Amino acid sequence: MEAEKKPPVVSDVGAWAMNVVSSVGIIMANKQLMSAAGYAFSFATTLTGFHFTVTALVGWISNATGYSVSKHVPLWELVWFSLVANTSITGMNLSLMLNSVGFYQISKLSMIPVVCFMEWVLNSKHYTTKVISAVVVVAAGVGICTVTDVEVNAKGFICACVAVFCTSLQQITIGSFQKKYNIGSFELLSKTAPIQAISLIILGPFVDYFLNGRSLLNYNFSGGAIFFILLSCSLAVFCNMSQYLCIGRFSATSFQVLGHMKTVCVLILGWVLFDSALTVKNILGMLLAVMGMVVYSWAIESEKKATTSIPRNKSDMLDGEDVPLKARVSGLPPVDLEEGDMKS
């Protein structure tokens, strides 16, 4: 039994580790690629299109070689999902452009309660007091270490609301699709990536031109820029794959809460690699966030144990056998009584 239980645990840890490492890596690569001190590639939406193009290519190779099996998902559902996902990406970019970095961080933090609320509405999911308390602690910790100046305007606020709603809906839908169509995380990603890639490659340059007034056609693709674009695309494959894997295996809420470990890692690596300022406020916020994540993990495990320890129906109570309670307590074998032998 122990041997049967070990693989899922290792796989779960591996999925989270893959997501954290690839996400932090892609942020560091994009920082070098997009910053003015680096290669000034300020085409975030188009870059996301490159990401999904490489992801779609990997998915196609996987299906062609028989490594993964393609399952049917209605085209209209894939198109609808891709529309929501692309709106999420565009909304986030517009929110960052129109609002201050502080409000952008607050909007990202608001995804946690929004995801909780939407899972309650769409999936009738309920949360214990321990889980809610842990979520509040994580959000407070990340807020302390990331939120600085807060400036917002009407257009920026609308874009942030649309981005938060679409991102939350996208993450919940990933888990719902996997359960509804009994499809694996990578198989689902292989189906959605091509649609997102085509639409973002076509629309991305126009969106980026609107955001920063620069045309992709005028950009000088140096050897260093191409290297970091390819590195970013390679890391995006693992990032997208692990996102689908984590949400499908756990929940969108867990992905949001534990995913803020990436924020902590980015702050630390920014201090180590890019000489970013790391104040006492940042450190206290990170410690509070990590403490909240530990409490959240403990609360989820406690919830699982409480759920599995409560028998849900008669077959669970009797372990699949209709054994009289008296016989189970005494340890004696059950005695079959004929209807006429029963006493009133």
Side-chain angles (χ1 to χ4, degrees):
M1 293 294 293
E2 291 298 322
E4 291 177 2
K5 289 181 180 178
K6 273 186 179 180
V9 173
V10 173
S11 181
D12 291 348
V13 173
W16 281 115
M18 185 196 301
N19 185 256
V20 171
V21 172
S22 60
S23 297
V24 173
I26 201 172
I27 290 171
M28 294 294 109
N30 288 351
K31 188 177 180 69
Q32 180 64 26
L33 175 65
M34 304 181 76
S35 66
Y39 295 96
F41 185 85
S42 56
F43 308 97
T45 311
T46 305
L47 181 62
T48 307
F50 293 161
H51 290 170
F52 281 108
T53 300
V54 175
T55 302
L57 179 62
V58 172
W60 178 80
I61 293 172
S62 177
N63 288 331
T65 56
Y67 181 77
S68 58
V69 179
S70 179
K71 291 187 178 180
H72 175 71
V73 179
L75 179 61
W76 73 268
E77 294 231 63
L78 295 175
V79 172
W80 172 82
F81 173 84
S82 299
L83 179 63
V84 171
N86 289 350
T87 304
S88 162
I89 294 166
T90 306
M92 279 295 180
N93 290 337
L94 286 171
S95 174
L96 183 58
M97 181 189 78
L98 297 172
N99 300 313
S100 65
V101 175
F103 185 79
Y104 176 75
Q105 290 293 345
I106 289 176
S107 67
K108 288 180 69 176
L109 285 174
S110 69
M111 287 181 199
I112 299 178
V114 171
V115 166
C116 290
F117 177 75
M118 291 179 70
E119 285 199 315
W120 173 66
V121 171
L122 298 175
N123 301 328
S124 301
K125 187 169 183 176
H126 297 276
Y127 299 92
T128 63
T129 305
K130 294 176 184 177
V131 172
I132 294 173
S133 301
V135 166
V136 171
V137 172
V138 172
V142 176
I144 289 171
C145 65
T146 59
V147 177
T148 51
D149 60 314
V150 178
E151 296 178 10
V152 63
N153 55 68
K155 290 181 180 178
F157 181 77
I158 293 172
C159 289
C161 289
V162 170
V164 169
F165 174 78
C166 289
T167 303
S168 303
L169 182 60
Q170 175 210 9
Q171 293 181 356
I172 292 172
T173 305
I174 289 173
S176 300
F177 275 9
Q178 291 187 45
K179 292 173 185 175
K180 182 178 180 181
Y181 297 107
N182 192 26
I183 187 172
S185 55
F186 185 68
E187 286 74 19
L188 179 59
L189 177 60
S190 299
K191 287 186 171 295
T192 58
I195 301 174
Q196 287 188 255
I198 293 171
S199 55
L200 287 173
I201 288 294
I202 294 173
L203 298 176
F206 297 101
V207 173
D208 290 329
Y209 183 79
F210 172 76
L211 290 173
N212 54 48
R214 296 180 61 189
S215 172
L216 181 67
L217 297 176
N218 296 329
Y219 181 75
N220 179 28
F221 285 90
S222 64
I226 293 173
F227 169 79
F228 275 99
I229 289 173
L230 292 175
L231 177 61
S232 180
C233 290
S234 301
L235 289 169
V237 174
F238 293 99
C239 185
N240 290 328
M241 193 188 308
S242 58
Q243 179 188 6
Y244 277 57
L245 189 61
C246 290
I247 293 175
R249 190 165 294 175
F250 304 99
S251 69
T253 304
S254 295
F255 183 76
Q256 278 293 330
V257 174
L258 299 180
H260 279 295
M261 177 58 72
K262 294 175 283 190
T263 305
V264 175
C265 293
V266 167
L267 286 172
I268 295 173
L269 286 176
W271 173 63
V272 173
L273 300 177
F274 299 100
D275 295 326
S276 299
L278 196 63
T279 64
V280 174
K281 176 173 166 282
N282 296 140
I283 296 172
L284 291 176
M286 286 189 285
L287 291 174
L288 185 62
V290 171
M291 184 180 72
M293 292 174 204
V294 173
V295 173
Y296 178 84
S297 301
W298 167 76
I300 291 294
E301 285 302 314
S302 300
E303 195 177 73
K304 286 180 182 177
K305 289 178 182 177
T307 303
T308 54
S309 64
I310 299 174
R312 297 185 179 181
N313 50 49
K314 185 178 178 182
S315 61
D316 291 337
M317 294 171 66
L318 302 180
D319 294 325
E321 297 178 349
D322 195 8
V323 182
L325 180 60
K326 186 175 181 180
R328 288 172 62 84
V329 173
S330 63
L332 297 174
V335 179
D336 292 326
L337 297 176
E338 294 294 330
E339 192 170 313
D341 295 331
M342 294 183 182
K343 295 182 181 179
S344 59

